[in-house]
Amino acid sequence: MKLEGRVALITGAGSGMGRATALLFAAEGAHVVVDDIRPEAADETVALVREAGGAASPAYADVTDVEQVEAMIAQVAQDRGRLDVLYCHVGMPGAAGMDLTEEDWSASVDTNMKAAFFVASRALPLLRQAEGRGSVIFTASATGLVGSPYSPLYSMAKGGVVMLAKALAVHTAADGVRANAICPGPIDTPMLPRFFGREGTAGESGLDDELRGFLASSVPMGRAGQPEEIASVALFLASDDSSFVTGVALPVDGGITAR
């Protein structure tokens, strides 16, 4: 029960890594506020948490909209009276290559960078009241640490998230609020095939044989990660186990960035 009595807000928690983290945080004692722009996805995650005996409530904010972000944080303050853990997980693959439209650029930057900045910004007053245990976690990417040959735009946006985590860590250290970024490699979720320009073809994971073969040859550990492996790292960063860890961009990538 590493998060007993704490309140955690997770954006993009309607599926994949966000959902796995919501389930784990709740199992460790947190009340989890599950945000997703898709109400049905948020509700499903909340139902799964409650079926497992945990506590959760939904939020439906589009976190690229600052007014909706502010309303969500105000609701957390009203309903729960505190916020101990903020996991800014929302993201998107973005368009590949360099021949992009302005709309492509804005969609990626708004979803990956703007959302992270404004959710963290608006949540800080609550996090500063977390008795020195405030934790902000961002989902960046291994390609925010090394360049992506497929999507320079995605590398740019996720590299910005890495630097946001580092800067925020310094900005809030005296307030007892830590900030860190998780940098996943390829994770077996419905979103993964979109990085390769295809829709999912193998149920929940979306990985077909061709993609599995590619991952086996390109990831030193020979496979994609699982959402639960990201959730476990998020739990470490959310809990007192990482009480002296801040400003870190932690690769969880099967060895990709070690090359």
Side-chain angles (χ1 to χ4, degrees), residues 203-226:
E204 175 67 16
S205 74
L207 292 183
D208 57 24
D209 289 342
E210 183 180 353
L211 279 183
R212 291 183 192 279
F214 172 78
L215 294 172
S217 64
S218 62
V219 178
M221 289 185 69
R223 63 174 177 86
Q226 295 300 311

PDB file of all heavy atoms in Angstrom, residues 203-226:
ATOM      1  N   GLY A 203      -5.933  -7.728 -32.045  1.00  0.00           N
ATOM      2  CA  GLY A 203      -6.706  -7.537 -30.827  1.00  0.00           C
ATOM      3  C   GLY A 203      -6.223  -6.350 -30.034  1.00  0.00           C
ATOM      4  O   GLY A 203      -5.849  -5.319 -30.574  1.00  0.00           O
ATOM      5  N   GLU A 204      -6.223  -6.511 -28.710  1.00  0.00           N
ATOM      6  CA  GLU A 204      -5.913  -5.400 -27.815  1.00  0.00           C
ATOM      7  C   GLU A 204      -4.522  -4.838 -28.073  1.00  0.00           C
ATOM      8  O   GLU A 204      -4.300  -3.647 -28.051  1.00  0.00           O
ATOM      9  CB  GLU A 204      -6.035  -5.869 -26.364  1.00  0.00           C
ATOM     10  CG  GLU A 204      -5.619  -4.843 -25.316  1.00  0.00           C
ATOM     11  CD  GLU A 204      -6.525  -3.631 -25.232  1.00  0.00           C
ATOM     12  OE1 GLU A 204      -7.660  -3.695 -25.761  1.00  0.00           O
ATOM     13  OE2 GLU A 204      -6.099  -2.619 -24.649  1.00  0.00           O
ATOM     14  N   SER A 205      -3.544  -5.689 -28.335  1.00  0.00           N
ATOM     15  CA  SER A 205      -2.180  -5.197 -28.483  1.00  0.00           C
ATOM     16  C   SER A 205      -1.956  -4.546 -29.836  1.00  0.00           C
ATOM     17  O   SER A 205      -1.229  -3.568 -29.957  1.00  0.00           O
ATOM     18  CB  SER A 205      -1.179  -6.340 -28.308  1.00  0.00           C
ATOM     19  OG  SER A 205      -1.175  -7.185 -29.445  1.00  0.00           O
ATOM     20  N   GLY A 206      -2.552  -5.086 -30.883  1.00  0.00           N
ATOM     21  CA  GLY A 206      -2.359  -4.527 -32.212  1.00  0.00           C
ATOM     22  C   GLY A 206      -1.082  -4.971 -32.895  1.00  0.00           C
ATOM     23  O   GLY A 206      -0.789  -4.536 -33.999  1.00  0.00           O
ATOM     24  N   LEU A 207      -0.294  -5.848 -32.289  1.00  0.00           N
ATOM     25  CA  LEU A 207       0.965  -6.273 -32.881  1.00  0.00           C
ATOM     26  C   LEU A 207       0.749  -7.483 -33.786  1.00  0.00           C
ATOM     27  O   LEU A 207       0.238  -8.517 -33.355  1.00  0.00           O
ATOM     28  CB  LEU A 207       1.974  -6.645 -31.796  1.00  0.00           C
ATOM     29  CG  LEU A 207       2.496  -5.497 -30.926  1.00  0.00           C
ATOM     30  CD1 LEU A 207       3.528  -6.011 -29.951  1.00  0.00           C
ATOM     31  CD2 LEU A 207       3.065  -4.377 -31.777  1.00  0.00           C
ATOM     32  N   ASP A 208       1.139  -7.340 -35.050  1.00  0.00           N
ATOM     33  CA  ASP A 208       1.084  -8.483 -35.947  1.00  0.00           C
ATOM     34  C   ASP A 208       2.469  -9.131 -36.007  1.00  0.00           C
ATOM     35  O   ASP A 208       3.426  -8.687 -35.374  1.00  0.00           O
ATOM     36  CB  ASP A 208       0.586  -8.072 -37.334  1.00  0.00           C
ATOM     37  CG  ASP A 208       1.439  -6.979 -37.965  1.00  0.00           C
ATOM     38  OD1 ASP A 208       2.627  -6.840 -37.596  1.00  0.00           O
ATOM     39  OD2 ASP A 208       0.924  -6.248 -38.831  1.00  0.00           O
ATOM     40  N   ASP A 209       2.586 -10.200 -36.768  1.00  0.00           N
ATOM     41  CA  ASP A 209       3.847 -10.948 -36.801  1.00  0.00           C
ATOM     42  C   ASP A 209       4.988 -10.106 -37.350  1.00  0.00           C
ATOM     43  O   ASP A 209       6.139 -10.218 -36.890  1.00  0.00           O
ATOM     44  CB  ASP A 209       3.680 -12.217 -37.637  1.00  0.00           C
ATOM     45  CG  ASP A 209       2.802 -13.252 -36.947  1.00  0.00           C
ATOM     46  OD1 ASP A 209       2.611 -13.149 -35.719  1.00  0.00           O
ATOM     47  OD2 ASP A 209       2.302 -14.165 -37.641  1.00  0.00           O
ATOM     48  N   GLU A 210       4.685  -9.265 -38.340  1.00  0.00           N
ATOM     49  CA  GLU A 210       5.743  -8.439 -38.919  1.00  0.00           C
ATOM     50  C   GLU A 210       6.307  -7.467 -37.892  1.00  0.00           C
ATOM     51  O   GLU A 210       7.523  -7.287 -37.779  1.00  0.00           O
ATOM     52  CB  GLU A 210       5.206  -7.682 -40.137  1.00  0.00           C
ATOM     53  CG  GLU A 210       6.278  -6.858 -40.843  1.00  0.00           C
ATOM     54  CD  GLU A 210       5.719  -6.108 -42.042  1.00  0.00           C
ATOM     55  OE1 GLU A 210       4.538  -6.331 -42.409  1.00  0.00           O
ATOM     56  OE2 GLU A 210       6.463  -5.296 -42.617  1.00  0.00           O
ATOM     57  N   LEU A 211       5.414  -6.828 -37.127  1.00  0.00           N
ATOM     58  CA  LEU A 211       5.878  -5.896 -36.109  1.00  0.00           C
ATOM     59  C   LEU A 211       6.641  -6.617 -35.004  1.00  0.00           C
ATOM     60  O   LEU A 211       7.657  -6.118 -34.513  1.00  0.00           O
ATOM     61  CB  LEU A 211       4.699  -5.133 -35.510  1.00  0.00           C
ATOM     62  CG  LEU A 211       4.171  -3.939 -36.308  1.00  0.00           C
ATOM     63  CD1 LEU A 211       3.058  -3.247 -35.548  1.00  0.00           C
ATOM     64  CD2 LEU A 211       5.293  -2.948 -36.605  1.00  0.00           C
ATOM     65  N   ARG A 212       6.165  -7.782 -34.613  1.00  0.00           N
ATOM     66  CA  ARG A 212       6.882  -8.533 -33.588  1.00  0.00           C
ATOM     67  C   ARG A 212       8.290  -8.893 -34.062  1.00  0.00           C
ATOM     68  O   ARG A 212       9.257  -8.834 -33.301  1.00  0.00           O
ATOM     69  CB  ARG A 212       6.101  -9.794 -33.227  1.00  0.00           C
ATOM     70  CG  ARG A 212       4.797  -9.523 -32.487  1.00  0.00           C
ATOM     71  CD  ARG A 212       4.097 -10.819 -32.093  1.00  0.00           C
ATOM     72  NE  ARG A 212       2.744 -10.570 -31.635  1.00  0.00           N
ATOM     73  CZ  ARG A 212       2.416 -10.154 -30.416  1.00  0.00           C
ATOM     74  NH1 ARG A 212       3.378  -9.936 -29.540  1.00  0.00           N
ATOM     75  NH2 ARG A 212       1.155  -9.948 -30.074  1.00  0.00           N
ATOM     76  N   GLY A 213       8.408  -9.246 -35.339  1.00  0.00           N
ATOM     77  CA  GLY A 213       9.730  -9.563 -35.874  1.00  0.00           C
ATOM     78  C   GLY A 213      10.635  -8.357 -35.896  1.00  0.00           C
ATOM     79  O   GLY A 213      11.832  -8.461 -35.574  1.00  0.00           O
ATOM     80  N   PHE A 214      10.076  -7.192 -36.261  1.00  0.00           N
ATOM     81  CA  PHE A 214      10.869  -5.966 -36.268  1.00  0.00           C
ATOM     82  C   PHE A 214      11.357  -5.625 -34.866  1.00  0.00           C
ATOM     83  O   PHE A 214      12.525  -5.272 -34.662  1.00  0.00           O
ATOM     84  CB  PHE A 214      10.044  -4.810 -36.831  1.00  0.00           C
ATOM     85  CG  PHE A 214      10.724  -3.474 -36.706  1.00  0.00           C
ATOM     86  CD1 PHE A 214      11.736  -3.114 -37.579  1.00  0.00           C
ATOM     87  CD2 PHE A 214      10.345  -2.576 -35.716  1.00  0.00           C
ATOM     88  CE1 PHE A 214      12.379  -1.886 -37.451  1.00  0.00           C
ATOM     89  CE2 PHE A 214      10.976  -1.356 -35.581  1.00  0.00           C
ATOM     90  CZ  PHE A 214      11.994  -1.002 -36.458  1.00  0.00           C
ATOM     91  N   LEU A 215      10.463  -5.735 -33.884  1.00  0.00           N
ATOM     92  CA  LEU A 215      10.851  -5.422 -32.512  1.00  0.00           C
ATOM     93  C   LEU A 215      11.897  -6.396 -31.998  1.00  0.00           C
ATOM     94  O   LEU A 215      12.818  -6.011 -31.267  1.00  0.00           O
ATOM     95  CB  LEU A 215       9.617  -5.422 -31.611  1.00  0.00           C
ATOM     96  CG  LEU A 215       8.591  -4.327 -31.907  1.00  0.00           C
ATOM     97  CD1 LEU A 215       7.328  -4.550 -31.097  1.00  0.00           C
ATOM     98  CD2 LEU A 215       9.171  -2.952 -31.634  1.00  0.00           C
ATOM     99  N   ALA A 216      11.778  -7.649 -32.386  1.00  0.00           N
ATOM    100  CA  ALA A 216      12.749  -8.650 -31.944  1.00  0.00           C
ATOM    101  C   ALA A 216      14.150  -8.319 -32.434  1.00  0.00           C
ATOM    102  O   ALA A 216      15.144  -8.614 -31.759  1.00  0.00           O
ATOM    103  CB  ALA A 216      12.329 -10.033 -32.432  1.00  0.00           C
ATOM    104  N   SER A 217      14.239  -7.688 -33.594  1.00  0.00           N
ATOM    105  CA  SER A 217      15.554  -7.367 -34.149  1.00  0.00           C
ATOM    106  C   SER A 217      16.061  -5.988 -33.744  1.00  0.00           C
ATOM    107  O   SER A 217      17.269  -5.736 -33.800  1.00  0.00           O
ATOM    108  CB  SER A 217      15.503  -7.451 -35.680  1.00  0.00           C
ATOM    109  OG  SER A 217      14.617  -6.481 -36.209  1.00  0.00           O
ATOM    110  N   SER A 218      15.163  -5.086 -33.338  1.00  0.00           N
ATOM    111  CA  SER A 218      15.580  -3.708 -33.078  1.00  0.00           C
ATOM    112  C   SER A 218      15.692  -3.364 -31.596  1.00  0.00           C
ATOM    113  O   SER A 218      16.353  -2.381 -31.240  1.00  0.00           O
ATOM    114  CB  SER A 218      14.597  -2.738 -33.738  1.00  0.00           C
ATOM    115  OG  SER A 218      13.295  -2.886 -33.205  1.00  0.00           O
ATOM    116  N   VAL A 219      15.055  -4.144 -30.743  1.00  0.00           N
ATOM    117  CA  VAL A 219      15.132  -3.906 -29.298  1.00  0.00           C
ATOM    118  C   VAL A 219      16.115  -4.907 -28.706  1.00  0.00           C
ATOM    119  O   VAL A 219      15.966  -6.115 -28.906  1.00  0.00           O
ATOM    120  CB  VAL A 219      13.741  -4.087 -28.646  1.00  0.00           C
ATOM    121  CG1 VAL A 219      13.829  -3.882 -27.135  1.00  0.00           C
ATOM    122  CG2 VAL A 219      12.731  -3.124 -29.266  1.00  0.00           C
ATOM    123  N   PRO A 220      17.156  -4.460 -27.982  1.00  0.00           N
ATOM    124  CA  PRO A 220      18.130  -5.406 -27.446  1.00  0.00           C
ATOM    125  C   PRO A 220      17.517  -6.550 -26.644  1.00  0.00           C
ATOM    126  O   PRO A 220      18.009  -7.685 -26.713  1.00  0.00           O
ATOM    127  CB  PRO A 220      19.022  -4.512 -26.568  1.00  0.00           C
ATOM    128  CG  PRO A 220      19.000  -3.197 -27.278  1.00  0.00           C
ATOM    129  CD  PRO A 220      17.595  -3.055 -27.790  1.00  0.00           C
ATOM    130  N   MET A 221      16.432  -6.285 -25.908  1.00  0.00           N
ATOM    131  CA  MET A 221      15.791  -7.362 -25.153  1.00  0.00           C
ATOM    132  C   MET A 221      14.866  -8.210 -26.015  1.00  0.00           C
ATOM    133  O   MET A 221      14.302  -9.201 -25.542  1.00  0.00           O
ATOM    134  CB  MET A 221      15.030  -6.801 -23.951  1.00  0.00           C
ATOM    135  CG  MET A 221      15.960  -6.289 -22.852  1.00  0.00           C
ATOM    136  SD  MET A 221      15.076  -5.755 -21.344  1.00  0.00           S
ATOM    137  CE  MET A 221      14.485  -7.337 -20.727  1.00  0.00           C
ATOM    138  N   GLY A 222      14.704  -7.826 -27.283  1.00  0.00           N
ATOM    139  CA  GLY A 222      14.028  -8.688 -28.246  1.00  0.00           C
ATOM    140  C   GLY A 222      12.515  -8.691 -28.209  1.00  0.00           C
ATOM    141  O   GLY A 222      11.890  -9.588 -28.777  1.00  0.00           O
ATOM    142  N   ARG A 223      11.900  -7.683 -27.591  1.00  0.00           N
ATOM    143  CA  ARG A 223      10.444  -7.675 -27.501  1.00  0.00           C
ATOM    144  C   ARG A 223       9.947  -6.279 -27.186  1.00  0.00           C
ATOM    145  O   ARG A 223      10.733  -5.396 -26.817  1.00  0.00           O
ATOM    146  CB  ARG A 223       9.971  -8.613 -26.386  1.00  0.00           C
ATOM    147  CG  ARG A 223      10.434  -8.202 -24.984  1.00  0.00           C
ATOM    148  CD  ARG A 223       9.829  -9.081 -23.908  1.00  0.00           C
ATOM    149  NE  ARG A 223      10.299  -8.760 -22.566  1.00  0.00           N
ATOM    150  CZ  ARG A 223       9.777  -7.833 -21.763  1.00  0.00           C
ATOM    151  NH1 ARG A 223       8.750  -7.087 -22.180  1.00  0.00           N
ATOM    152  NH2 ARG A 223      10.255  -7.633 -20.547  1.00  0.00           N
ATOM    153  N   ALA A 224       8.646  -6.095 -27.319  1.00  0.00           N
ATOM    154  CA  ALA A 224       8.011  -4.882 -26.816  1.00  0.00           C
ATOM    155  C   ALA A 224       7.801  -5.003 -25.317  1.00  0.00           C
ATOM    156  O   ALA A 224       7.695  -6.107 -24.765  1.00  0.00           O
ATOM    157  CB  ALA A 224       6.664  -4.665 -27.515  1.00  0.00           C
ATOM    158  N   GLY A 225       7.754  -3.856 -24.649  1.00  0.00           N
ATOM    159  CA  GLY A 225       7.413  -3.859 -23.242  1.00  0.00           C
ATOM    160  C   GLY A 225       5.920  -4.026 -23.040  1.00  0.00           C
ATOM    161  O   GLY A 225       5.127  -3.910 -23.979  1.00  0.00           O
ATOM    162  N   GLN A 226       5.536  -4.283 -21.807  1.00  0.00           N
ATOM    163  CA  GLN A 226       4.133  -4.413 -21.439  1.00  0.00           C
ATOM    164  C   GLN A 226       3.692  -3.184 -20.642  1.00  0.00           C
ATOM    165  O   GLN A 226       4.505  -2.577 -19.927  1.00  0.00           O
ATOM    166  CB  GLN A 226       3.908  -5.681 -20.614  1.00  0.00           C
ATOM    167  CG  GLN A 226       4.177  -6.962 -21.385  1.00  0.00           C
ATOM    168  CD  GLN A 226       3.286  -7.094 -22.614  1.00  0.00           C
ATOM    169  OE1 GLN A 226       2.063  -6.912 -22.529  1.00  0.00           O
ATOM    170  NE2 GLN A 226       3.888  -7.401 -23.754  1.00  0.00           N
TER     171      GLN A 226
END
